[in-house]
Amino acid sequence: MAKQIEGVWDRIITAAKQEFLDKGYVEASLRTIAAAADTSTNSIYVRFGDKEGLFSAIVEPVLSEMIERFIRIQERFHRMSPEKQAEQMPKYADGGTSELIDYMYGHLDEFRLLLDSSYGTRFHNFVDELVRIEVEYTYKYMEAVGYSDKLGNALTEKLLHIVTTSRFEGIFEIIRHGMSRDEAFEYIELLSRYHRTGFIEIFGKGDK
């Protein structure tokens, strides 16, 4: 098959990353990518189907792995006893965020593409899925440690969605601002304290 021709697949991916980073998905040209990869546009169609298929081949494996890691972090925490969750929440949440940041810095180009070059693709709102997972497990945490009086409140649902979205957008600013890994961890530590303080201020410390 076409993918077996040595080097062509990798050259297309490398050229496509640069083209998408430079121009964004909508303005990126398959002709330009093909020329940079020393191949034909038909070669791209055969391997990837279309332009979005090419974009997906670059970012989807990385995004899928991040989501899987995120769910594993949440599940490990949820399996703790309520007492352990209450005790370990700040430390565990910071550790989980650090794990995701390490992963992001290992795949910077892919996350730059997701954040700033994905308009016009199904990945444009990828943060929504992370927010959905975080809100789901936040409810589980609240129920476990004794915030049950807040769980049926429609305002709580809206507030959690808004502030969780804000938190993820804040996290991804480390990439948009080109921070070094060290700068990113310093920034995230402050951001986490900011959001955690607000959460406790609104919901209290629980009653268990």
Side-chain angles (χ1 to χ4, degrees):
M1 298 298 289
K3 186 180 176 180
Q4 296 174 339
I5 300 175
E6 186 175 359
V8 176
W9 179 282
D10 291 337
R11 292 202 308 271
I12 292 172
I13 292 294
T14 298
K17 277 187 182 180
Q18 194 59 56
E19 177 75 355
F20 288 133
L21 285 169
D22 288 346
K23 298 179 182 177
Y25 172 80
V26 173
E27 298 298 324
S29 165
L30 290 184
R31 285 194 179 91
T32 300
I33 293 169
D38 193 24
T39 189
S40 66
T41 54
N42 184 63
S43 177
I44 295 175
Y45 287 121
V46 167
R47 289 168 172 80
F48 303 99
D50 55 18
K51 185 162 72 169
E52 184 162 355
L54 176 54
F55 190 88
S56 176
I58 298 170
V59 302
E60 187 165 22
V62 171
L63 179 59
S64 294
E65 174 65 18
M66 184 187 188
I67 290 173
E68 289 174 9
R69 285 170 179 250
F70 187 44
I71 292 173
R72 286 198 299 269
I73 290 167
Q74 299 281 6
E75 277 295 312
R76 287 198 303 264
F77 182 71
H78 182 61
R79 286 195 293 268
M80 295 179 182
S81 69
E83 294 76 17
K84 201 72 171 176
Q85 287 186 43
E87 175 189 342
Q88 294 290 323
M89 189 275 284
K91 181 179 179 180
Y92 193 90
D94 289 349
T97 303
S98 295
E99 181 180 331
L100 294 181
I101 291 169
D102 273 332
Y103 183 75
M104 288 160 55
Y105 271 82
H107 302 83
L108 268 178
D109 282 348
E110 288 81 1
F111 280 99
R112 288 171 61 204
L113 287 169
L114 284 165
L115 290 166
D116 296 325
S117 302
S118 62
Y119 179 78
T121 76
R122 62 190 173 88
F123 301 99
H124 181 56
N125 295 315
F126 80 95
V127 175
D128 291 349
E129 177 63 8
L130 298 173
V131 170
R132 184 196 66 76
I133 295 167
E134 177 75 3
V135 170
E136 176 185 339
Y137 280 93
T138 299
Y139 267 97
K140 291 182 179 181
Y141 167 74
M142 291 172 70
E143 185 173 14
V145 303
Y147 295 84
S148 56
D149 60 323
K150 307 288 186 180
L151 296 179
N153 191 326
L155 182 59
T156 295
E157 181 179 354
K158 291 184 175 68
L159 179 63
L160 285 176
H161 186 273
I162 290 168
V163 297
T164 302
T165 301
S166 171
R167 179 172 178 268
F168 275 108
E169 292 292 349
I171 289 171
F172 287 124
E173 286 297 293
I174 64 177
I175 293 177
R176 289 193 169 111
H177 285 274
M179 294 184 189
S180 69
R181 191 184 294 253
D182 288 343
E183 289 174 327
F185 279 109
E186 183 177 358
Y187 164 80
I188 291 298
E189 194 275 331
L190 294 173
L191 184 70
S192 295
R193 284 167 54 190
Y194 174 85
H195 280 278
R196 191 155 52 241
T197 300
F199 183 89
I200 292 171
E201 176 67 23
I202 296 296
F203 294 107
K205 296 181 180 296
D207 53 25
K208 288 187 178 182

